Amino acid sequence: MLLTRRFKHCPSCGAPVQYLVPPDDNRERATCTACASIHYENPINVVGTLPVYGEQVLLCRRNIEPRYGMWTLPAGFLELGETSAQGAARETDEEAGAEIELQDLYCVLNVVRVGQIHLYYRARLLSDRFNPGPETIEARLFHEHEIPWDELAFRTVRETLQRFFEDRRLGRPYALHCADVG
Amino acid sequence: MLLTRRFKHCPSCGAPVQYLVPPDDNRERATCTACASIHYENPINVVGTLPVYGEQVLLCRRNIEPRYGMWTLPAGFLELGETSAQGAARETDEEAGAEIELQDLYCVLNVVRVGQIHLYYRARLLSDRFNPGPETIEARLFHEHEIPWDELAFRTVRETLQRFFEDRRLGRPYALHCADVG
């Protein structure tokens, strides 16, 4: 599997690691051949927002790989030292330069294939002026009928947008959606 | 900060790393002095369940450090290759040997201090017979008035139980709770 066996050397002492099942464990772990320390590999979190301005939602056109030129909700990897809400707000600022009021957690999407959980918060845009950072070619608002469905960067962006428009169309309260994305 | 600067050597080639801000980044990252590869450190996820049997909830007494002898909800680190729901069910099986029907995601708790997000699902116990694994001294059911509040292993366990009993007392639907835990 692409995601595992990321370690060739021990990040503590630099000696080669072997993948072995430690005592009292049931999975192979990167185990140092010199200092015997064990190094775990776990899924990581992507955090972002679904920023709404009246009838419209904000998308960012990516200026970076992967998916250069495709459209995404503002999102990125959660960093140490911040909460998921803080990370989502930071990414919205960095990628779109958008002023928002962060609302509730809206989607928790497992993407097992890449070892990620994507957490999207709804957000209310306080302005329709944006100041995108270097990772974004363009940040702009879209009505539902304008969404570039075939040019979305990630499956979780599509899933989040689809659920939002469906909830809105049906007049449903915006409760949490959990799903697994292939 | 305890959590950062975990890397002393490059896990790809074993050479020493330096913490430097890469171009187009705004944080110091473990950067290899030989092969220049960059290694990121991110928060990880703990997944577990709040298993309910009629009026009672299931707790496990820890047979491992940290918090040996304290009571916890069944939970542990999310592994690569599984969804958060699958991980929560696996931990419930490994720690309690409990038969459950997994229900909705109930708590998303950020624990920034240790770089973790804890995700707890509600679960319906299908039996009051348990078969705890080696990480558990004892698995047993508690009525609300029996909960060993002063002997709970983790703040997130306390927060999850408090919210559950309050929701139940008030007859509220079990909607998602999000909180930051110090």
Side-chain angles (χ1 to χ4, degrees):
Chain A
M1 190 178 176
L2 185 69
L3 295 166
T4 53
R5 310 205 163 213
R6 199 164 49 92
F7 289 83
K8 291 192 172 65
H9 290 263
C10 174
S12 301
C13 77
V17 301
Q18 277 192 306
Y19 278 81
L20 303 170
V21 180
D24 299 324
D25 201 339
N26 49 29
R27 280 175 172 72
E28 292 188 344
R29 312 287 184 184
T31 307
C32 182
T33 53
C35 76
S37 63
I38 298 168
H39 303 283
Y40 296 87
E41 290 147 86
N42 299 90
I44 60 177
N45 296 298
V46 169
V47 292
T49 61
L50 167 52
V52 178
Y53 189 75
E55 291 293 302
Q56 299 173 88
V57 302
L58 175 67
L59 295 177
C60 297
R61 198 161 165 231
R62 289 171 65 81
N63 196 31
I64 49 170
E65 295 292 351
R67 312 293 159 81
Y68 175 90
M70 310 279 271
W71 293 89
T72 184
L73 292 166
F77 291 114
L78 180 64
E79 299 280 0
L80 289 171
E82 67 185 7
T83 66
S84 50
Q86 288 166 345
R90 176 183 52 72
E91 289 288 344
T92 308
D93 180 52
E94 288 178 4
E95 298 195 350
E99 272 188 89
I100 57 162
E101 176 189 288
L102 199 73
Q103 298 176 301
D104 288 341
L105 181 58
Y106 183 58
C107 281
V108 174
L109 303 169
N110 274 274
V111 196
V112 170
R113 186 176 43 85
V114 292
Q116 296 177 359
I117 298 181
H118 291 211
L119 304 167
Y120 283 99
Y121 290 79
R122 285 184 306 110
R124 193 169 74 84
L125 280 164
L126 304 177
S127 154
D128 59 355
R129 297 290 194 82
F130 312 118
N131 182 24
E135 298 185 4
T136 301
I137 297 168
E138 179 188 1
R140 59 162 279 212
L141 295 170
F142 290 84
H143 287 280
E144 181 177 358
H145 69 271
E146 298 169 326
I147 299 284
W149 293 106
D150 294 335
E151 295 165 50
L152 296 179
F154 304 107
R155 276 279 306 273
T156 61
V157 170
R158 162 184 292 270
E159 296 275 336
T160 301
L161 289 171
Q162 282 175 337
R163 281 165 169 77
F164 173 72
F165 290 125
E166 190 182 2
D167 281 349
R168 192 171 73 174
R169 206 157 43 234
L170 298 174
R172 277 201 294 243
Y174 295 111
L176 181 77
H177 291 274
C178 292
D180 303 333
V181 174
Chain B
M1 189 179 179
L2 186 69
L3 294 165
T4 53
R5 310 203 164 217
R6 199 164 48 91
F7 289 83
K8 292 193 173 64
H9 290 263
C10 173
S12 301
C13 77
V17 300
Q18 277 193 305
Y19 278 80
L20 302 170
V21 180
D24 299 325
D25 201 339
N26 48 28
R27 282 175 168 73
E28 292 187 343
R29 312 287 183 184
T31 307
C32 182
T33 54
C35 75
S37 63
I38 299 168
H39 303 281
Y40 296 87
E41 290 147 84
N42 300 89
I44 59 178
N45 296 301
V46 168
V47 292
T49 61
L50 166 53
V52 179
Y53 190 75
E55 291 293 303
Q56 299 173 89
V57 301
L58 174 68
L59 295 177
C60 298
R61 200 162 164 232
R62 288 172 66 82
N63 194 34
I64 48 170
E65 294 294 351
R67 313 293 160 78
Y68 176 92
M70 309 279 271
W71 294 89
T72 184
L73 292 166
F77 292 114
L78 181 64
E79 299 279 0
L80 289 171
E82 68 186 6
T83 66
S84 50
Q86 287 166 345
R90 174 184 52 73
E91 288 290 343
T92 307
D93 179 54
E94 288 178 4
E95 297 193 353
E99 272 187 89
I100 58 163
E101 176 189 288
L102 199 73
Q103 298 174 300
D104 287 342
L105 182 59
Y106 183 57
C107 280
V108 174
L109 302 169
N110 275 274
V111 196
V112 169
R113 187 177 42 85
V114 292
Q116 296 176 358
I117 298 180
H118 291 210
L119 303 167
Y120 283 100
Y121 290 78
R122 287 185 305 109
R124 195 169 72 84
L125 280 163
L126 303 177
S127 154
D128 59 355
R129 298 288 195 80
F130 311 118
N131 181 25
E135 296 184 7
T136 301
I137 298 168
E138 180 188 0
R140 60 161 278 215
L141 294 170
F142 291 84
H143 286 279
E144 181 177 358
H145 69 270
E146 299 170 323
I147 298 285
W149 294 105
D150 294 335
E151 295 165 50
L152 296 180
F154 304 106
R155 277 279 305 275
T156 61
V157 170
R158 162 184 293 269
E159 295 276 338
T160 301
L161 289 171
Q162 281 175 338
R163 282 168 168 75
F164 173 73
F165 290 126
E166 190 182 2
D167 280 348
R168 191 171 72 174
R169 205 157 45 235
L170 298 174
R172 275 201 294 244
Y174 295 111
L176 181 78
H177 292 274
C178 292
D180 303 333
V181 174

